[in-house]
Amino acid sequence: MIPNFWDPKAQLERPEIPTSRTIRFLVDDDFPPLHFPGLDGTPTGFSVELARAACERLGLTCTVQVRRFDSLLNALSEKQGDVVAAAIPITADLRQRFAVTAPYFKIPARLVTKSVQIKDNPAFTPKLLQGKTIGVVEGTVHEAFVKAFMQGSTLKPYPELTAAEAALKSGAVDYIFADGLSLALWIGGEDAEGCCVFAGGPHLESRFFGEGIGFIARAEDDALHRALDYALQQLWNEGKYAELYLRFFPISPF
């Protein structure tokens, strides 16, 4: 599944941005598949390539500069770059300080179970969780969500996700519930050994899992902010978003 975060009825107008302007994107290089170093060391990833595609769609020149994740917003404020293209969650505080586009990605929460479980019950329903044990990472929003909405199951917290994944493989729990992006990478990786699959659909409740991720510009750079929103919608309409999504998410977290 390729997610769609754009309202087809909302037709955005393209603001004027001088084509002589070079847009400097700031990224972190330690959060695959959104941003990471390529084989030649050049930054790449879904967010990075989406930023480059937005620049191309707007007819602008852009550069990509790598910074430590915890320094990105300060670098933007100090005008060391023009846009942050990294997995910084959209919050009310972020919107007060900066101009943020509509989300181009969200990290859903997902259930994962043994492949044989889905083979036996291909039409997954919430009733299948009754009496089952669900592994979670303790102290997370995922643990809070299970407590609130999966009350017919038994909750089993673990100190970290790798421990919960190992418990699912060994049969110590029936399901794990966690960040769908991390789980998609695990399902498709060597450590899972093909054991497990997603069960049910994505959970996107913003009260628990946030509003998503967008491009971040300085508050006074309104034209650039609106231009990026326009470009993102056009990239979705024209199929470029889907092309990049399929490249970087061979197993979709959605």
Side-chain angles (χ1 to χ4, degrees), residues 46-243:
F46 181 66
S47 292
V48 177
E49 299 308 327
L50 196 62
R52 291 186 171 122
C55 270
E56 183 177 350
R57 184 63 179 78
L58 294 168
L60 300 174
T61 301
C62 73
T63 62
V64 177
Q65 304 172 20
V66 177
R67 295 282 193 280
R68 283 196 337 267
F69 184 81
D70 60 1
S71 70
L72 289 171
L73 294 180
N74 285 339
L76 179 63
S77 295
E78 294 167 4
K79 299 188 177 180
Q80 297 174 22
D82 302 299
V83 182
V84 170
I88 296 176
I90 298 172
T91 62
D93 179 65
L94 187 70
R95 289 189 185 281
Q96 286 183 347
R97 297 172 58 200
F98 299 97
V100 187
T101 66
Y104 63 80
F105 188 69
K106 296 182 179 182
I107 300 178
R110 296 296 304 265
L111 281 163
V112 169
T113 190
K114 288 282 194 72
S115 303
V116 65
Q117 174 82 352
I118 292 298
K119 184 178 179 181
D120 294 341
N121 299 281
F124 178 85
T125 66
K127 289 183 179 180
L128 293 175
L129 298 177
Q130 296 294 316
K132 301 296 184 180
T133 302
I134 302 177
V136 295
V137 179
E138 60 186 354
T140 62
V141 292
H142 304 96
E143 180 183 34
F145 189 86
V146 171
K147 287 180 178 178
F149 297 104
M150 303 178 185
Q151 296 175 353
S153 58
T154 300
L155 182 68
K156 191 165 185 180
Y158 290 90
E160 55 190 21
L161 184 56
T162 52
E165 291 165 347
L168 179 61
K169 281 182 66 178
S170 70
V173 297
D174 301 298
Y175 295 86
I176 54 177
F177 185 71
D179 148 22
L181 181 56
S182 298
L183 291 174
L185 294 173
W186 178 66
I187 288 171
E190 294 181 359
D191 289 346
E193 300 177 321
C195 73
C196 304
V197 293
F198 285 127
H203 296 268
L204 292 163
E205 289 79 356
S206 59
R207 183 163 63 94
F208 286 88
F209 310 121
E211 297 180 46
I213 299 163
F215 291 139
I216 307 166
R218 285 184 294 279
E220 65 270 20
D221 213 344
D222 183 62
L224 177 58
H225 159 242
R226 290 186 293 111
L228 290 170
D229 259 327
Y230 168 84
L232 286 169
Q233 186 180 57
Q234 296 308 306
L235 292 173
W236 167 261
N237 292 340
E238 295 163 5
K240 184 65 177 180
Y241 181 95
E243 175 191 324

